[in-house]
């Protein structure tokens, strides 16, 4: 079935198979219920459910950001503000010696601040090394 245009469904959509989109998707609810649930009914000791952020670049390089989760809301002037975000980054893309970085940012006095960085067995809090592995 090829459908061009909007489809309005007033019931449940059951899809048996993959869902692929060539554009972004928006899921909206009008209350504080979960917007998205990932549910695994598997009973073994493997991980699940899993959320995968995958950057499939033909030319991966050092300093590439491989995924990001933004936490946004409105301020008291009805402006959208990113209050925090988590970012995954490639530190070294060299085969056999790959290094990755996970960075946590928060907003302080209107400016985004790198609050916590996890990289190569080290944890850095607001620019100060606090733990080393």
């Amino acid at each position: 079935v090829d459908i061009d245009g909007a489809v309005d469904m007033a019931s449940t959509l059951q899809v048996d198979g993959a869902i692929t989109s060539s554009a972004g998707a928006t899921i909206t609810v009008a209350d504080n219920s979960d917007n998205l649930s990932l549910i695994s009914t598997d009973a073994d000791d493997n991980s699940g459910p899993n959320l995968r952020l995958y950057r499939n670049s033909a030319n991966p390089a050092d300093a590439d950001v491989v995924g990001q989760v933004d936490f946004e809301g409105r301020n008291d002037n009805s402006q959208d503000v990113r209050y925090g975000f988590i970012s995954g980054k490639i530190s070294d893309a060299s085969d056999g010696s790959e290094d990755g970085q996970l960075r946590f940012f928060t907003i302080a006095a209107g400016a985004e601040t790198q609050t916590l960085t996890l990289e190569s067995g080290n944890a850095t809090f607001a620019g100060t090394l606090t733990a080393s592995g």
Side-chain angles (χ1 to χ4, degrees):
V1 175
D2 187 5
I3 301 172
D4 293 327
V7 176
D8 187 6
M9 297 188 66
S11 186
T12 301
L13 172 65
Q14 173 67 39
V15 177
D16 294 323
I19 298 173
T20 302
S21 174
S22 60
T26 301
I27 301 171
T28 304
V29 297
D31 57 18
N32 290 321
S33 62
D34 295 339
N35 289 56
L36 176 66
S37 296
L38 304 177
I39 299 170
S40 172
T41 58
D42 196 13
D44 63 21
D45 65 348
N46 294 315
S47 67
N50 300 305
L51 174 63
R52 182 181 188 196
L53 305 179
Y54 177 52
R55 182 170 182 173
N56 188 7
S57 171
N59 299 302
D62 297 356
D64 281 358
V65 176
V66 293
Q68 186 165 297
V69 179
D70 293 343
F71 300 90
E72 297 185 21
R74 293 213 142 201
N75 65 14
D76 62 4
N77 194 33
S78 296
Q79 297 167 321
D80 292 340
V81 176
R82 182 167 64 174
Y83 285 94
F85 67 97
I86 302 168
S87 177
K89 187 174 183 179
I90 297 173
S91 296
D92 184 353
S94 302
D95 184 29
S97 62
E98 297 90 342
D99 291 318
Q101 187 180 92
L102 193 57
R103 302 176 305 157
F104 294 78
F105 292 78
T106 55
I107 193 168
E112 290 179 343
T113 303
Q114 191 166 333
T115 306
L116 175 65
T117 303
L118 305 174
E119 180 179 22
S120 304
N122 296 317
T124 305
F125 180 74
T128 303
L129 183 65
T130 57
S132 181

